[in-house]
Amino acid sequence: MKVLVVGGGGREHTLVWKIAQSSLVEKIYCAPGNPGIAELAECVHIDADEIDTLLEFALAEKIDLTVVGPEVPLTMGIVDTFQNAGLEVFGPNKAAAQIEGSKRFSKDLMARYNIPTAAYRSFSDHAQAVNYVREQGAPIVVKADGLAAGKGVIVAMTEEQAIAAIDDIMLDQVFGDAGASVVIEEFMGGEEASFFAFTDGKNILPLASSQDHKRVYDNDEGPNTGGMGAYSPAPVVTDDLYRVIVDTIVRPTIDGMAEDGCPYSGILYVGLMIKDGKPRVVEYNARFGDPEAQPLLMRMKSDIVPVLQACARGELQQDCIEWYDKAAVCVVLASGGYPAAYEKNLPISGLDEAAKIGDLMVFHAGTALKDGQIVNKGGRVLGVTGLGDTVRDAIDKAYTGVKVVSWKNAHYRHDIGARALNR
Ligand code: AMP
Ligand code: GLY
């Protein structure tokens, strides 16, 4: 069969790498892809949000299955467009993707189905939002309602910071329309974890546990990023907690979406805060995590393609995924300066040498090919992912890879996985 993967980051490189191992697959296309993906798939020069052009391509090439990586095309309705044209596609439709696309939608869903999360109120009126912050006090969390490329959440330690954030979002509209309304919620302490489940809208197939590292510097300091590294399994998610997450969060979410007339199929990403052994939802995403996909898919033994197809067809019967009994750790190499401004087009060395190391994959995220040389193009550039018998071994493997790859001002955290070792 022919598969089209939509997207061009580290998550999509990992998906392509995993899909390429399936005996069911003859050919993989990726739009737009990246230089790492180009080693495994044919990259097509169509951006992930050019839905009509993607559809034309998929029809012309008779694509059997399209797998959508990023949230933007999902919230734009790529799944609806492909399904209406009779194509099989993995991911939630536009209505269901609101679970990520609108914080208000997801908070209301959780309230309706008693899914544990932070207490909250939504506001479309600036003065009312400010009054609420004054009533509640700090710390408090201010969120732009819509998609803001991961930057729309401000964890305010003081009332002044919270009010400044409301001003930025609602008056100065720094996130454009995404800030027409805000959600203001209770600050939750604890440890974060990421939880994923494949679903066809009715049945669910949970994945192994994982955790990412959101802050840019060691010891969780500095601003939030898309993720500076991840590992799986995450010891904070014990077997008991795993069952609690499935029973009290994942199951009611999928049932609630179906009940509300917008069944969710694809992969559901639940961002969790765990405190005193109890999980609460921080947010939902309508897609795989990046970089969580890197360690998770390196550990996945089962063929992923039948799972993706079954979700797309509403026929998910499989009740478990086989995993390698190993740990995996992904260290993200970022451009120096990320998540703020950074220099681009710097040549990257050591990729050939890293490719010779066993149990190690260097997934490309923000790379480009310039005059025959791989250069940095985005904030997060590479995801160096190692496999090992223990988390310690996987950390060592990943950093062995990190040592051989370099470019000017490359930045990475030195403590990826350390939280797992401390348990
Ligand atoms: P989100 O975009 O909703 O994932 O938020 C980004 C990050 O902000 C999360 O990963 C958390 O670290 C933090 N965050 C979001 N909501 C809360 C909350 N209610 N309490 C504490 N931290 C939060
Ligand atoms: N790693 C966080 C995300 O994918 O949103």
Side-chain angles (χ1 to χ4, degrees):
M1 62 188 278
K2 287 184 182 181
V3 178
L4 168 64
V5 175
V6 175
R11 165 183 51 216
E12 288 77 24
H13 188 180
T14 314
L15 281 165
V16 166
W17 172 82
K18 182 67 187 159
I19 292 167
Q21 291 163 32
S22 172
S23 58
L24 300 167
V25 174
E26 282 135 22
K27 170 99 190 169
I28 309 174
Y29 295 95
C30 188
N34 66 37
I37 294 175
E39 291 176 17
L40 299 165
E42 185 174 331
C43 293
V44 194
H45 297 291
I46 309 174
D47 277 336
D49 57 0
E50 294 180 79
I51 293 175
D52 293 337
T53 318
L54 288 168
L55 176 65
E56 270 172 45
F57 175 83
L59 289 171
E61 292 299 332
K62 302 196 167 54
I63 299 293
D64 298 293
L65 174 68
T66 299
V67 181
V68 185
E71 63 275 17
V72 170
L74 293 168
T75 54
M76 288 169 68
I78 187 171
V79 168
D80 312 59
T81 302
F82 274 53
Q83 282 175 344
N84 289 338
L87 293 173
E88 213 157 77
V89 54
F90 174 84
N93 64 16
K94 185 172 180 173
Q98 288 183 90
I99 204 165
E100 170 165 8
S102 166
K103 304 259 186 229
R104 195 167 185 165
F105 176 94
S106 67
K107 294 298 287 192
D108 290 351
L109 174 86
M110 287 184 262
R112 236 180 352 267
Y113 294 101
N114 293 317
I115 297 164
T117 186
Y120 76 105
R121 293 266 307 271
S122 337
F123 297 94
S124 331
D125 181 78
H126 175 266
Q128 284 177 5
V130 170
N131 279 342
Y132 185 69
V133 165
R134 295 237 187 266
E135 264 167 50
Q136 297 293 311
I140 195 157
V141 182
V142 178
K143 302 186 170 187
D145 176 54
L147 284 185
K151 299 195 179 108
V153 174
I154 296 93
V155 179
M157 299 320 276
T158 64
E159 280 179 36
E160 286 62 42
Q161 279 172 358
I163 292 166
I166 297 170
D167 289 350
D168 287 348
I169 296 172
M170 300 189 86
L171 299 181
D172 299 336
Q173 300 184 326
V174 293
F175 305 118
D177 289 348
S181 59
V182 289
V183 166
I184 300 184
E185 69 177 38
E186 170 198 355
F187 171 84
M188 297 187 284
E191 184 168 348
E192 286 185 72
S194 307
F195 199 88
F196 299 89
F198 288 114
T199 175
D200 63 355
K202 298 183 294 292
N203 305 297
I204 59 178
L205 182 57
L207 279 75
S209 60
S210 63
Q211 207 168 38
D212 81 349
H213 298 62
K214 293 211 157 101
R215 304 297 187 106
V216 72
Y217 303 125
D218 288 9
N219 301 316
D220 295 328
E221 285 173 17
N224 260 324
T225 68
M228 292 300 295
Y231 59 93
S232 171
V236 63
V237 182
T238 58
D239 291 348
D240 281 346
L241 187 57
Y242 189 94
R243 278 188 287 274
V244 171
I245 294 166
V246 171
D247 294 345
T248 68
I249 295 175
V250 180
R251 180 40 73 199
T253 301
I254 296 305
D255 290 350
M257 292 289 282
E259 179 77 25
D260 289 351
C262 67
Y264 183 99
S265 89
I267 187 159
L268 179 71
Y269 169 158
V270 190
L272 297 167
M273 190 68 83
I274 298 160
K275 193 173 176 196
D276 304 329
K278 292 200 180 68
R280 289 201 281 171
V281 177
V282 177
E283 61 161 353
Y284 295 107
N285 293 309
R287 52 173 173 83
F288 244 124
D290 190 349
E292 293 95 323
Q294 285 80 323
L296 280 170
L297 295 188
M298 268 190 84
R299 290 190 58 218
M300 186 171 169
K301 191 172 179 185
S302 307
D303 188 345
I304 196 171
V305 175
V307 180
L308 301 173
Q309 275 181 311
C311 292
R313 290 175 184 165
E315 297 171 354
L316 185 62
Q317 247 109 55
Q318 200 170 326
D319 52 14
C320 70
I321 294 173
E322 265 195 282
W323 300 94
Y324 291 111
D325 190 16
K326 295 202 176 251
V329 172
C330 171
V331 178
V332 170
L333 300 193
S335 299
Y338 169 79
Y342 47 84
E343 196 180 340
K344 292 184 190 174
N345 295 318
L346 303 165
I348 300 171
S349 65
L351 290 169
D352 291 342
E353 202 181 324
K356 292 184 197 134
I357 303 175
D359 284 341
L360 184 89
M361 273 300 300
V362 179
F363 293 110
H364 288 225
T367 64
L369 196 59
K370 200 165 175 255
D371 306 325
Q373 166 76 49
I374 306 240
V375 299
N376 73 321
K377 180 179 130 188
R380 294 189 293 165
V381 180
L382 299 167
V384 181
T385 313
L387 213 49
D389 287 336
T390 61
V391 175
R392 174 80 263 167
D393 293 342
I395 292 172
D396 292 344
K397 177 63 78 170
Y399 282 102
T400 303
V402 167
K403 279 202 198 84
V404 306
V405 180
S406 66
W407 72 91
K408 193 181 132 204
N409 296 337
H411 164 72
Y412 61 90
R413 279 180 60 160
H414 302 81
D415 61 348
I416 303 302
R419 246 179 337 211
L421 295 180
N422 294 338
R423 285 198 164 260

